[in-house]
Amino acid sequence: DGGITQSPKYLFRKEGQNVTLSCEQNLNHDAMYWYRQDPGQGLRLIYYSQIVNDFQKGDIAEGYSVSREKKESFPLTVTSAQKNPTAFYLCASNRVSTVAEAFFGQGTRLTVV
Amino acid sequence: AQSVAQPEDQVNVAEGNPLTVKCTYSVSGNPYLFWYVQYPNRGLQFLLKYITGDNLVKGSYGFEAEFNKSQTSFHLKKPSALVSDSALYFCAVRDENSGNTPLVFGKGTRLSVIA
């Protein structure tokens, strides 16, 4: 059963803590993405990676970090430098093609307590 | 630069009536256009895409979209709305000259179908 798996579904963080969101795909896609979703603001790109061991900043990368050590995995760390981390985080992937649609995971809702 | 506009935050339609969710885009080359649907606390689901060819694209769940190059639009349509169509809809674009860059999304339109 192919797809993208994000975990956990819900995550609570205390202020000042780093947390890592997991994203795994078995679609054999080279490109992977992290988006942040806030009410009324649509999807904003945090980071993306088109190949293993390489990634680029998106529009709102400050306070976040990523790694791409394996093709299947693209974890996102929300650091204590992110001032307003409470949001819904979406991971996506697609094959490397201009015409390819992206496939999304089910999301992780992060709440700072 | 690529951009997408969804001019309506909310669309309300009665069940059984036709629905339209609007999308306009801006790219320097030819556009590749996509529609997605999102149910509460879920990821986005792909509905359909326009690459080239016929301006009317058919997709999942009875949805279709019409590409209009002169109006730079890609409106999502369905002939007869269902209550279960109530969700958040996103339009996205990628410029043909941009390579495999990330999709650029609109801010979303919330569709409410009233029984």
PDB file of all heavy atoms in Angstrom, chain B residues 25-47:
ATOM      1  N   TYR B  25      -4.439  32.435 -12.339  1.00  0.00           N
ATOM      2  CA  TYR B  25      -3.022  32.171 -12.147  1.00  0.00           C
ATOM      3  C   TYR B  25      -2.180  33.200 -12.895  1.00  0.00           C
ATOM      4  O   TYR B  25      -2.665  33.906 -13.779  1.00  0.00           O
ATOM      5  CB  TYR B  25      -2.684  30.759 -12.648  1.00  0.00           C
ATOM      6  CG  TYR B  25      -2.858  30.629 -14.149  1.00  0.00           C
ATOM      7  CD1 TYR B  25      -1.822  30.929 -15.031  1.00  0.00           C
ATOM      8  CD2 TYR B  25      -4.091  30.242 -14.677  1.00  0.00           C
ATOM      9  CE1 TYR B  25      -2.001  30.843 -16.397  1.00  0.00           C
ATOM     10  CE2 TYR B  25      -4.282  30.156 -16.046  1.00  0.00           C
ATOM     11  CZ  TYR B  25      -3.238  30.458 -16.897  1.00  0.00           C
ATOM     12  OH  TYR B  25      -3.426  30.383 -18.250  1.00  0.00           O
ATOM     13  N   SER B  26      -0.905  33.227 -12.530  1.00  0.00           N
ATOM     14  CA  SER B  26       0.049  34.077 -13.222  1.00  0.00           C
ATOM     15  C   SER B  26       1.375  33.338 -13.324  1.00  0.00           C
ATOM     16  O   SER B  26       1.952  32.931 -12.304  1.00  0.00           O
ATOM     17  CB  SER B  26       0.251  35.398 -12.472  1.00  0.00           C
ATOM     18  OG  SER B  26       1.252  36.184 -13.098  1.00  0.00           O
ATOM     19  N   VAL B  27       1.814  33.107 -14.562  1.00  0.00           N
ATOM     20  CA  VAL B  27       3.110  32.469 -14.828  1.00  0.00           C
ATOM     21  C   VAL B  27       3.723  33.133 -16.053  1.00  0.00           C
ATOM     22  O   VAL B  27       3.025  33.775 -16.829  1.00  0.00           O
ATOM     23  CB  VAL B  27       2.973  30.951 -15.087  1.00  0.00           C
ATOM     24  CG1 VAL B  27       2.484  30.213 -13.849  1.00  0.00           C
ATOM     25  CG2 VAL B  27       2.058  30.683 -16.266  1.00  0.00           C
ATOM     26  N   SER B  28       5.004  32.945 -16.239  1.00  0.00           N
ATOM     27  CA  SER B  28       5.653  33.565 -17.395  1.00  0.00           C
ATOM     28  C   SER B  28       5.560  32.680 -18.634  1.00  0.00           C
ATOM     29  O   SER B  28       5.491  33.181 -19.753  1.00  0.00           O
ATOM     30  CB  SER B  28       7.120  33.857 -17.080  1.00  0.00           C
ATOM     31  OG  SER B  28       7.783  32.657 -16.710  1.00  0.00           O
ATOM     32  N   GLY B  29       5.538  31.369 -18.424  1.00  0.00           N
ATOM     33  CA  GLY B  29       5.416  30.440 -19.539  1.00  0.00           C
ATOM     34  C   GLY B  29       4.025  29.835 -19.575  1.00  0.00           C
ATOM     35  O   GLY B  29       3.053  30.463 -19.174  1.00  0.00           O
ATOM     36  N   ASN B  30       3.934  28.609 -20.048  1.00  0.00           N
ATOM     37  CA  ASN B  30       2.658  27.906 -20.006  1.00  0.00           C
ATOM     38  C   ASN B  30       2.452  27.286 -18.622  1.00  0.00           C
ATOM     39  O   ASN B  30       3.400  26.814 -18.001  1.00  0.00           O
ATOM     40  CB  ASN B  30       2.622  26.809 -21.076  1.00  0.00           C
ATOM     41  CG  ASN B  30       2.481  27.386 -22.464  1.00  0.00           C
ATOM     42  OD1 ASN B  30       1.718  28.328 -22.678  1.00  0.00           O
ATOM     43  ND2 ASN B  30       3.233  26.844 -23.415  1.00  0.00           N
ATOM     44  N   PRO B  31       1.201  27.253 -18.164  1.00  0.00           N
ATOM     45  CA  PRO B  31       0.951  26.742 -16.819  1.00  0.00           C
ATOM     46  C   PRO B  31       0.616  25.264 -16.798  1.00  0.00           C
ATOM     47  O   PRO B  31      -0.015  24.739 -17.724  1.00  0.00           O
ATOM     48  CB  PRO B  31      -0.276  27.542 -16.396  1.00  0.00           C
ATOM     49  CG  PRO B  31      -1.044  27.699 -17.682  1.00  0.00           C
ATOM     50  CD  PRO B  31      -0.001  27.831 -18.763  1.00  0.00           C
ATOM     51  N   TYR B  32       1.025  24.619 -15.738  1.00  0.00           N
ATOM     52  CA  TYR B  32       0.492  23.319 -15.364  1.00  0.00           C
ATOM     53  C   TYR B  32      -0.333  23.569 -14.103  1.00  0.00           C
ATOM     54  O   TYR B  32       0.184  24.097 -13.128  1.00  0.00           O
ATOM     55  CB  TYR B  32       1.612  22.314 -15.107  1.00  0.00           C
ATOM     56  CG  TYR B  32       2.466  22.054 -16.321  1.00  0.00           C
ATOM     57  CD1 TYR B  32       3.849  21.931 -16.207  1.00  0.00           C
ATOM     58  CD2 TYR B  32       1.908  21.943 -17.586  1.00  0.00           C
ATOM     59  CE1 TYR B  32       4.649  21.701 -17.312  1.00  0.00           C
ATOM     60  CE2 TYR B  32       2.695  21.714 -18.699  1.00  0.00           C
ATOM     61  CZ  TYR B  32       4.067  21.596 -18.567  1.00  0.00           C
ATOM     62  OH  TYR B  32       4.847  21.378 -19.664  1.00  0.00           O
ATOM     63  N   LEU B  33      -1.610  23.174 -14.152  1.00  0.00           N
ATOM     64  CA  LEU B  33      -2.564  23.577 -13.122  1.00  0.00           C
ATOM     65  C   LEU B  33      -3.161  22.362 -12.430  1.00  0.00           C
ATOM     66  O   LEU B  33      -3.420  21.346 -13.077  1.00  0.00           O
ATOM     67  CB  LEU B  33      -3.670  24.418 -13.756  1.00  0.00           C
ATOM     68  CG  LEU B  33      -3.189  25.772 -14.285  1.00  0.00           C
ATOM     69  CD1 LEU B  33      -4.080  26.268 -15.394  1.00  0.00           C
ATOM     70  CD2 LEU B  33      -3.127  26.797 -13.154  1.00  0.00           C
ATOM     71  N   PHE B  34      -3.414  22.498 -11.137  1.00  0.00           N
ATOM     72  CA  PHE B  34      -3.849  21.380 -10.312  1.00  0.00           C
ATOM     73  C   PHE B  34      -4.948  21.841  -9.359  1.00  0.00           C
ATOM     74  O   PHE B  34      -4.943  22.982  -8.889  1.00  0.00           O
ATOM     75  CB  PHE B  34      -2.670  20.854  -9.468  1.00  0.00           C
ATOM     76  CG  PHE B  34      -1.450  20.483 -10.262  1.00  0.00           C
ATOM     77  CD1 PHE B  34      -0.582  21.451 -10.734  1.00  0.00           C
ATOM     78  CD2 PHE B  34      -1.170  19.157 -10.531  1.00  0.00           C
ATOM     79  CE1 PHE B  34       0.554  21.109 -11.463  1.00  0.00           C
ATOM     80  CE2 PHE B  34      -0.041  18.798 -11.256  1.00  0.00           C
ATOM     81  CZ  PHE B  34       0.819  19.778 -11.724  1.00  0.00           C
ATOM     82  N   TRP B  35      -5.858  20.910  -9.046  1.00  0.00           N
ATOM     83  CA  TRP B  35      -6.834  21.135  -7.985  1.00  0.00           C
ATOM     84  C   TRP B  35      -6.725  20.017  -6.952  1.00  0.00           C
ATOM     85  O   TRP B  35      -6.577  18.839  -7.302  1.00  0.00           O
ATOM     86  CB  TRP B  35      -8.262  21.136  -8.534  1.00  0.00           C
ATOM     87  CG  TRP B  35      -8.729  22.474  -9.034  1.00  0.00           C
ATOM     88  CD1 TRP B  35      -8.855  22.882 -10.334  1.00  0.00           C
ATOM     89  CD2 TRP B  35      -9.150  23.589  -8.238  1.00  0.00           C
ATOM     90  NE1 TRP B  35      -9.306  24.172 -10.391  1.00  0.00           N
ATOM     91  CE2 TRP B  35      -9.507  24.632  -9.113  1.00  0.00           C
ATOM     92  CE3 TRP B  35      -9.266  23.813  -6.856  1.00  0.00           C
ATOM     93  CZ2 TRP B  35      -9.964  25.859  -8.671  1.00  0.00           C
ATOM     94  CZ3 TRP B  35      -9.719  25.040  -6.416  1.00  0.00           C
ATOM     95  CH2 TRP B  35     -10.071  26.050  -7.322  1.00  0.00           C
ATOM     96  N   TYR B  36      -6.841  20.453  -5.674  1.00  0.00           N
ATOM     97  CA  TYR B  36      -6.821  19.525  -4.557  1.00  0.00           C
ATOM     98  C   TYR B  36      -8.013  19.810  -3.645  1.00  0.00           C
ATOM     99  O   TYR B  36      -8.519  20.937  -3.580  1.00  0.00           O
ATOM    100  CB  TYR B  36      -5.538  19.709  -3.725  1.00  0.00           C
ATOM    101  CG  TYR B  36      -4.283  19.185  -4.360  1.00  0.00           C
ATOM    102  CD1 TYR B  36      -3.589  19.933  -5.304  1.00  0.00           C
ATOM    103  CD2 TYR B  36      -3.777  17.933  -4.015  1.00  0.00           C
ATOM    104  CE1 TYR B  36      -2.421  19.447  -5.889  1.00  0.00           C
ATOM    105  CE2 TYR B  36      -2.606  17.446  -4.590  1.00  0.00           C
ATOM    106  CZ  TYR B  36      -1.944  18.215  -5.514  1.00  0.00           C
ATOM    107  OH  TYR B  36      -0.786  17.723  -6.090  1.00  0.00           O
ATOM    108  N   VAL B  37      -8.395  18.785  -2.874  1.00  0.00           N
ATOM    109  CA  VAL B  37      -9.445  18.939  -1.869  1.00  0.00           C
ATOM    110  C   VAL B  37      -8.887  18.509  -0.518  1.00  0.00           C
ATOM    111  O   VAL B  37      -8.064  17.583  -0.438  1.00  0.00           O
ATOM    112  CB  VAL B  37     -10.703  18.123  -2.223  1.00  0.00           C
ATOM    113  CG1 VAL B  37     -10.426  16.638  -2.326  1.00  0.00           C
ATOM    114  CG2 VAL B  37     -11.814  18.377  -1.217  1.00  0.00           C
ATOM    115  N   GLN B  38      -9.319  19.211   0.531  1.00  0.00           N
ATOM    116  CA  GLN B  38      -8.878  18.870   1.882  1.00  0.00           C
ATOM    117  C   GLN B  38     -10.077  18.799   2.805  1.00  0.00           C
ATOM    118  O   GLN B  38     -10.837  19.759   2.933  1.00  0.00           O
ATOM    119  CB  GLN B  38      -7.888  19.904   2.412  1.00  0.00           C
ATOM    120  CG  GLN B  38      -7.318  19.545   3.778  1.00  0.00           C
ATOM    121  CD  GLN B  38      -6.401  20.612   4.336  1.00  0.00           C
ATOM    122  OE1 GLN B  38      -6.584  21.802   4.100  1.00  0.00           O
ATOM    123  NE2 GLN B  38      -5.376  20.189   5.078  1.00  0.00           N
ATOM    124  N   TYR B  39     -10.229  17.645   3.465  1.00  0.00           N
ATOM    125  CA  TYR B  39     -11.238  17.477   4.492  1.00  0.00           C
ATOM    126  C   TYR B  39     -10.623  17.804   5.840  1.00  0.00           C
ATOM    127  O   TYR B  39      -9.394  17.759   5.993  1.00  0.00           O
ATOM    128  CB  TYR B  39     -11.820  16.071   4.435  1.00  0.00           C
ATOM    129  CG  TYR B  39     -12.526  15.809   3.124  1.00  0.00           C
ATOM    130  CD1 TYR B  39     -11.888  15.120   2.085  1.00  0.00           C
ATOM    131  CD2 TYR B  39     -13.806  16.292   2.889  1.00  0.00           C
ATOM    132  CE1 TYR B  39     -12.516  14.914   0.873  1.00  0.00           C
ATOM    133  CE2 TYR B  39     -14.447  16.089   1.688  1.00  0.00           C
ATOM    134  CZ  TYR B  39     -13.786  15.403   0.676  1.00  0.00           C
ATOM    135  OH  TYR B  39     -14.409  15.215  -0.528  1.00  0.00           O
ATOM    136  N   PRO B  40     -11.437  18.112   6.858  1.00  0.00           N
ATOM    137  CA  PRO B  40     -10.901  18.573   8.152  1.00  0.00           C
ATOM    138  C   PRO B  40      -9.848  17.640   8.737  1.00  0.00           C
ATOM    139  O   PRO B  40     -10.031  16.421   8.776  1.00  0.00           O
ATOM    140  CB  PRO B  40     -12.160  18.633   9.027  1.00  0.00           C
ATOM    141  CG  PRO B  40     -13.261  18.912   8.063  1.00  0.00           C
ATOM    142  CD  PRO B  40     -12.912  18.143   6.823  1.00  0.00           C
ATOM    143  N   ASN B  41      -8.749  18.251   9.139  1.00  0.00           N
ATOM    144  CA  ASN B  41      -7.641  17.535   9.797  1.00  0.00           C
ATOM    145  C   ASN B  41      -7.070  16.406   8.942  1.00  0.00           C
ATOM    146  O   ASN B  41      -6.608  15.391   9.480  1.00  0.00           O
ATOM    147  CB  ASN B  41      -8.092  16.990  11.151  1.00  0.00           C
ATOM    148  CG  ASN B  41      -8.385  18.110  12.125  1.00  0.00           C
ATOM    149  OD1 ASN B  41      -7.608  19.049  12.259  1.00  0.00           O
ATOM    150  ND2 ASN B  41      -9.540  18.041  12.763  1.00  0.00           N
ATOM    151  N   ARG B  42      -7.110  16.566   7.645  1.00  0.00           N
ATOM    152  CA  ARG B  42      -6.545  15.587   6.721  1.00  0.00           C
ATOM    153  C   ARG B  42      -5.588  16.253   5.759  1.00  0.00           C
ATOM    154  O   ARG B  42      -5.536  17.480   5.652  1.00  0.00           O
ATOM    155  CB  ARG B  42      -7.670  14.896   5.924  1.00  0.00           C
ATOM    156  CG  ARG B  42      -8.750  14.260   6.751  1.00  0.00           C
ATOM    157  CD  ARG B  42      -8.214  13.150   7.631  1.00  0.00           C
ATOM    158  NE  ARG B  42      -7.678  12.017   6.911  1.00  0.00           N
ATOM    159  CZ  ARG B  42      -8.398  10.989   6.497  1.00  0.00           C
ATOM    160  NH1 ARG B  42      -9.693  10.948   6.707  1.00  0.00           N
ATOM    161  NH2 ARG B  42      -7.809   9.990   5.853  1.00  0.00           N
ATOM    162  N   GLY B  43      -4.836  15.445   5.044  1.00  0.00           N
ATOM    163  CA  GLY B  43      -3.973  15.974   4.005  1.00  0.00           C
ATOM    164  C   GLY B  43      -4.765  16.349   2.761  1.00  0.00           C
ATOM    165  O   GLY B  43      -5.986  16.190   2.717  1.00  0.00           O
ATOM    166  N   LEU B  44      -4.060  16.872   1.769  1.00  0.00           N
ATOM    167  CA  LEU B  44      -4.702  17.242   0.511  1.00  0.00           C
ATOM    168  C   LEU B  44      -4.811  16.034  -0.398  1.00  0.00           C
ATOM    169  O   LEU B  44      -3.880  15.223  -0.489  1.00  0.00           O
ATOM    170  CB  LEU B  44      -3.897  18.329  -0.204  1.00  0.00           C
ATOM    171  CG  LEU B  44      -4.148  19.774   0.221  1.00  0.00           C
ATOM    172  CD1 LEU B  44      -3.725  20.033   1.658  1.00  0.00           C
ATOM    173  CD2 LEU B  44      -3.431  20.727  -0.734  1.00  0.00           C
ATOM    174  N   GLN B  45      -5.958  15.950  -1.074  1.00  0.00           N
ATOM    175  CA  GLN B  45      -6.170  14.880  -2.049  1.00  0.00           C
ATOM    176  C   GLN B  45      -6.209  15.482  -3.446  1.00  0.00           C
ATOM    177  O   GLN B  45      -6.910  16.466  -3.679  1.00  0.00           O
ATOM    178  CB  GLN B  45      -7.487  14.160  -1.791  1.00  0.00           C
ATOM    179  CG  GLN B  45      -7.565  13.421  -0.479  1.00  0.00           C
ATOM    180  CD  GLN B  45      -8.925  12.782  -0.290  1.00  0.00           C
ATOM    181  OE1 GLN B  45      -9.588  12.417  -1.257  1.00  0.00           O
ATOM    182  NE2 GLN B  45      -9.355  12.660   0.953  1.00  0.00           N
ATOM    183  N   PHE B  46      -5.482  14.893  -4.360  1.00  0.00           N
ATOM    184  CA  PHE B  46      -5.430  15.352  -5.738  1.00  0.00           C
ATOM    185  C   PHE B  46      -6.747  15.077  -6.444  1.00  0.00           C
ATOM    186  O   PHE B  46      -7.296  13.970  -6.353  1.00  0.00           O
ATOM    187  CB  PHE B  46      -4.279  14.643  -6.448  1.00  0.00           C
ATOM    188  CG  PHE B  46      -4.246  14.828  -7.924  1.00  0.00           C
ATOM    189  CD1 PHE B  46      -3.867  16.038  -8.469  1.00  0.00           C
ATOM    190  CD2 PHE B  46      -4.570  13.783  -8.778  1.00  0.00           C
ATOM    191  CE1 PHE B  46      -3.819  16.214  -9.840  1.00  0.00           C
ATOM    192  CE2 PHE B  46      -4.520  13.936 -10.140  1.00  0.00           C
ATOM    193  CZ  PHE B  46      -4.151  15.157 -10.681  1.00  0.00           C
ATOM    194  N   LEU B  47      -7.286  16.098  -7.145  1.00  0.00           N
ATOM    195  CA  LEU B  47      -8.529  15.924  -7.897  1.00  0.00           C
ATOM    196  C   LEU B  47      -8.290  15.813  -9.405  1.00  0.00           C
ATOM    197  O   LEU B  47      -8.852  14.939 -10.061  1.00  0.00           O
ATOM    198  CB  LEU B  47      -9.459  17.119  -7.655  1.00  0.00           C
ATOM    199  CG  LEU B  47     -10.201  17.184  -6.328  1.00  0.00           C
ATOM    200  CD1 LEU B  47     -11.000  18.470  -6.243  1.00  0.00           C
ATOM    201  CD2 LEU B  47     -11.104  15.966  -6.154  1.00  0.00           C
TER     202      LEU B  47
END
